[in-house]
Amino acid sequence: MEQLIAKLKDEIIEVLNLTEITPEHIEENAPLFVDGLGLDSIDALELIVLLEKKYGLKLGTAEEGKKVLYSVRSMAEFIRENNKG
Amino acid sequence: MNGPYYINDYCRICNGTVKVNDKVLYRSHTPDPAAFYTEVYKETAINYPKFYKMDNLCKLGFLASELLLRDKQLNSRYAGDDIGLVLYNASSSLETDKNHQLSIQDRSSYFPSPSVFVYTLANIVIGEICIRNKFYGEGTFFVDEAFDAERMYRYVNLLLYESHVQCCIAGWIEQHGPNYDGILYLIEKTNADPGGIAIFEPQNLTQLYLQRN
Amino acid sequence: MTDVYIVSDNIVSSLGFTTDENMDLLRLGQTGIKQHHDDRISPAPFWASMVNSEILARRFADISDPPRYTYFEQMVIVSLRQAMVQAELDLTTDRTLLILSTTKGNIDVLNPNLAGEKGIERAYLWQTAQLLQYFFGFRLKPMVVSNACISGVLALIIGSRLIRAGEFDHVVIAGADIVSEFVLSGFNSFMSLCTGPCKPFDKERQGLSLGEAAGTIVLSNDKELANKKDKVVVGPGFSSNDANHISGPSRTGEGLYIAIKRTLQQTTQKVDYISAHGTATPYNDEMESIAISRAGLQDVPVNSLKGYWGHTLGAAGVIEAIAAVHSMYGNVLIKTVGYNTMGVTHPINIIDKNRETKINTCLKIASGFGGCNASVLLYKK
């Protein structure tokens, strides 16, 4: 899990061009949007593409999206739950 | 009220050089535009992390606007919706268009990126400058074969005397592959104190554009 | 002050190849948005409003040699041709300007499988405009306005300003965009597309439908040239920016409100009808309802025509303005197809069935990516 979280942080920084942010800046339980990293709606769409491209996972509904994309940890948990087997 | 208006400031970015009002702010030998823009961003101490999310066209326009408007306190002199933007280029957003096309070229690896697609519109650079500066005014993006001072002059002049626009940021922002060429002018109804760069006339627009950096 | 008259117009769309054909189907409430299977545009079936390519090819063959021109160019030429034949203008003087309004022009040539021999140079918008210039024999270099989804309305504002300022006597505005894999995949990645025809302002709306079209409006300062049906003038108009976000509409409708307010300040006339942008995305329609209410226009009848033609990008403002002008000629308000139940928080007066009433003034509005907005007043003189 911790490995996955570290990997996700690197991937998020890369796909969202968060050039001045290092993985240590990203608190795994903190909200990614508005407060925390201050990401916006385009970033959210980009994270959906990330989940699909790197992990083959599609988000079902907007509600599910909000829950999954809440924090790095919630994203990691979603990946682990859906990648069993 | 049909003029004369004034080019009170300008910012020229080309050939690895950034110049504001005849003064060289930065010179570099980095050929790659993206790397060059990052150098300029850092060297001129701009603090706006969204810069890194922009495509190259927006980076060029954004940098030119930041350096043109630095210390000008435009917002204290004009209402945000009295400030207009009129930009031109030749390639529109073709560089980013090609990037988006690459992401959909291969049907077995089909991942269009929303953060690339949003920049496949040339006028996004106007949006970026407006967001940064809280400008709510007129915005127009024209596409033309080459820098055309006469056309630029006529339209900006018309905006200044026919509409509410009191101050206009106009210019040529071209970015395509290894080629970039940017100039922005700050055009106002009154001459700056002590004296702006030139009277707002086509030949002066051309002269500033053609100067060797 | 010089008045700017509408002389002639044309619409090429899924609903037909003349303005009259389009208006007839609009009055019947018929949508042009259908499901299509076209692997050149999408690996999966998709919903869009598409021009009938066989009819287009036939129409174009009457004018020129199809293989030399792209699909986009054929659409624009067919549209321009019709409107200009009606207008009988002398294009060879330096008093007539062509303005091309488009977001993506020949964007399909970026795909090497589709470009053929035409090459990627065709993607330069100024080249497309130059091709049109030479085809028709305009003496002056054309202008190209590329401002996302407000391009068409903005071209109308710019064209009328230039005539009022005495720069030109006549301005021909062509607005066009095609449905391409490029645009479809992009809007898909934005999750902005809906399944089935879009539902502007409706509670159940889930996104936009894409469309393709070419529209032409000929403007002139010569009252004698004004359309025989009635004299409609392009009045004041303004653009603005939300200064908020590059893709998401402002939550307060700030930019659109500013553009509308500026327009209304220039007139003493009351607005009889609003032709809205109404893309049927949740955020756009909500934002528009807020801006319309803030401007005090919540009781004015308003429609969106996106349910007929889909979102035709750079053509949208042009063909929707043409439909508005013909609504004024015929004094009929066209219903918002796709709309059933109020789905915006600031109730506005959505036209839900066709209605005959005197229309002397119309406010045409548009908003787009980049936070841009535009508003222009059309009125009878």
Side-chain angles (χ1 to χ4, degrees), chain B residues 82-101:
Chain B
D82 286 344
I83 301 168
L85 272 149
V86 180
L87 301 185
Y88 292 76
N89 80 3
S91 306
S92 179
S93 56
L94 208 46
E95 176 176 310
T96 300
D97 294 355
K98 289 175 178 169
N99 287 335
H100 175 64
Q101 181 66 37

Side-chain angles (χ1 to χ4, degrees), chain B residues 81-82 90 97 100 105 107 110 120 123 134 136 138-139 141 143-144 148 151 154-155 158 162 176, chain C residues 39 104 111 124 126 141-142 144 146-147 158 161 164-165 167 181-182 185 238-239 241-243 262 369:
Chain B
D81 54 343
D82 286 344
D97 294 355
H100 175 64
Q105 197 57 52
R107 286 275 167 89
Y110 199 82
T120 62
N123 66 297
K134 291 286 154 206
Y136 298 92
E138 285 278 328
F141 202 102
V143 179
D144 205 342
D148 183 337
R151 278 267 163 104
R154 283 175 178 258
Y155 190 66
L158 173 90
E162 210 219 21
H176 193 187
Chain C
D39 193 58
K104 301 305 321 159
N111 182 344
Y124 285 92
W126 62 265
K141 178 176 78 171
V144 180
S146 192
N147 261 66
I158 292 168
R161 276 180 183 162
R164 274 197 297 274
E167 297 274 330
E181 179 172 37
F182 185 101
S185 66
F238 297 93
S239 67
N241 201 283
D242 288 335
R262 289 276 184 204
F369 272 12

Side-chain angles (χ1 to χ4, degrees), chain B residues 8 15 18 26 34 51 85 87 100 109 115 117 135 137 152 173 180 182 194 198 204 206:
Chain B
N8 280 334
N15 298 328
V18 180
Y26 183 66
F51 169 80
L85 272 149
L87 301 185
H100 175 64
S109 167
S115 59
F117 181 66
F135 294 159
M152 191 184 295
I173 299 292
Y180 61 94
N204 290 335
T206 306

Side-chain angles (χ1 to χ4, degrees), chain B residues 47-127:
Chain B
N47 181 19
Y48 193 66
K50 274 190 203 164
F51 169 80
Y52 293 109
K53 293 178 174 268
M54 297 177 191
D55 76 341
N56 282 341
L57 177 68
C58 288
K59 280 179 178 165
L60 176 60
F62 172 79
L63 288 173
S65 69
E66 281 295 293
L67 300 171
L68 175 79
L69 301 176
R70 189 168 266 187
D71 306 323
K72 300 292 176 334
Q73 273 109 32
L74 228 51
N75 286 85
S76 66
R77 290 191 284 132
Y78 301 103
D81 54 343
D82 286 344
I83 301 168
L85 272 149
V86 180
L87 301 185
Y88 292 76
N89 80 3
S91 306
S92 179
S93 56
L94 208 46
E95 176 176 310
T96 300
D97 294 355
K98 289 175 178 169
N99 287 335
H100 175 64
Q101 181 66 37
L102 281 177
S103 74
I104 57 170
Q105 197 57 52
D106 179 1
R107 286 275 167 89
S108 63
S109 167
Y110 199 82
F111 294 106
S113 154
S115 59
V116 172
F117 181 66
V118 73
Y119 288 105
T120 62
L121 293 163
N123 66 297
I124 300 295
V125 60
I126 293 178

Side-chain angles (χ1 to χ4, degrees), chain C residues 6 12 27 31 34 38 66 97 121 140 159 169 174 221 231 243-244 250 260 306 315 320-321 363:
Chain C
I6 299 206
V12 168
R27 281 193 202 95
T31 179
K34 294 191 180 75
D38 184 343
L97 176 76
E121 286 69 35
L140 294 181
D169 293 330
N221 57 11
K231 291 183 170 44
N244 175 58
S250 156
I260 295 174
K306 297 292 191 294
E320 288 161 15
L363 188 73

